[in-house]
Amino acid sequence: MRKKIVAANWKMNMTQAEAASFVDTLLRELGDANDVEVVIVPPFTAIAKVSEALGALENIKVGAQNMYWEKSGAFTGEISAAMLRELFVRYVVLGHSERRMLLGETDEIVNRKVRAAHEASLHPILCVGETLEQRENGRVEEVLSTQLRGSLAGLGVKEIQETVVAYEPVWAIGTGKTASAEQAQEAHAFIRRTLAEIADEGTSNKIRIQYGGSVKPDNARTLMTQPDIDGALVGGASLDPRSFAQIVQGAAALAEK
Ligand code: 13P
């Protein structure tokens, strides 16, 4: 049984003060949601604040939105895995479509980051997903397969198993247009089949695949009841601690069944 994982990708939002107040409210709202793994992914500047506010809580972890693959050196503006580890970061979102599109990140770049993250014992949340044009041209499987194979190249089975994959159809991000549960399940099942080809079936069955793209409290549960949807990567709705808590509680209710 795969433990559901629900992550809050804050993107370029939240000052330190806002982050601290978010965690305060979230902890009050959430109560006991131990059956779900929760990850908060602040901008770099608020990571330390969130880690401090969470203290020793085990089921809520901190993530980062990006990292560089080199260990140190003349890379102005970049952040290394060790710098993240120092702030108690456990997950790192890699290959998000916003970075692929706005900053030109290729599968090769994402692959370097994924490998460097594993070397430093950070778990990547690897984002893959097609654009609307690619979907309309019947290229969903080709795009997902290329992104997965490129980003996971050279990884061992253990590392692949410890990677979380996030299926984020680009046309559903920030648009209010969620993929239907059937569309999402179909893509997730394809991702799992591809992971079985890249690694093996046993490994693929252990990998958690999150759905991301306009996840809200009122659609999260239906999406997460699908057999291959193991959680959510939430953008906009994760900025409000109450709506994020509702999404986590939706996942917790499914875990109890
Ligand atoms: P929205 O939930 O705002 O659509 O963003 C999804 C996303 O990109 C999460 O990484």
Side-chain angles (χ1 to χ4, degrees), residues 7-11 93 96-98 125 127 166 168-177 210-216 232-239:
N9 177 8
W10 286 351
K11 309 191 179 183
V93 174
H96 193 282
S97 61
E98 284 152 14
I125 297 180
C127 302
E168 297 210 311
V170 177
W171 47 272
I173 296 179
T175 56
K177 279 191 217 151
Q210 295 176 308
Y211 169 80
S214 297
V215 174
K216 305 276 181 279
L233 182 54
V234 190
S238 78
L239 296 174

Side-chain angles (χ1 to χ4, degrees), residues 16-27:
Q16 293 195 52
E18 287 164 348
S21 140
F22 176 101
V23 173
D24 236 40
T25 312
L26 180 70
L27 295 182

Side-chain angles (χ1 to χ4, degrees), residues 96-105 131 170 173:
H96 193 282
S97 61
E98 284 152 14
R99 297 194 62 85
R100 289 178 190 264
M101 289 188 307
L102 298 170
L103 297 152
E105 284 201 7
T131 62
V170 177
I173 296 179

Side-chain angles (χ1 to χ4, degrees), residues 19 23 40 51 60 88 102 130 143 173-174 193 233:
V23 173
I40 299 178
S51 285
I60 307 186
F88 306 102
L102 298 170
E130 80 288 354
V143 170
I173 296 179
R193 286 200 301 278
L233 182 54

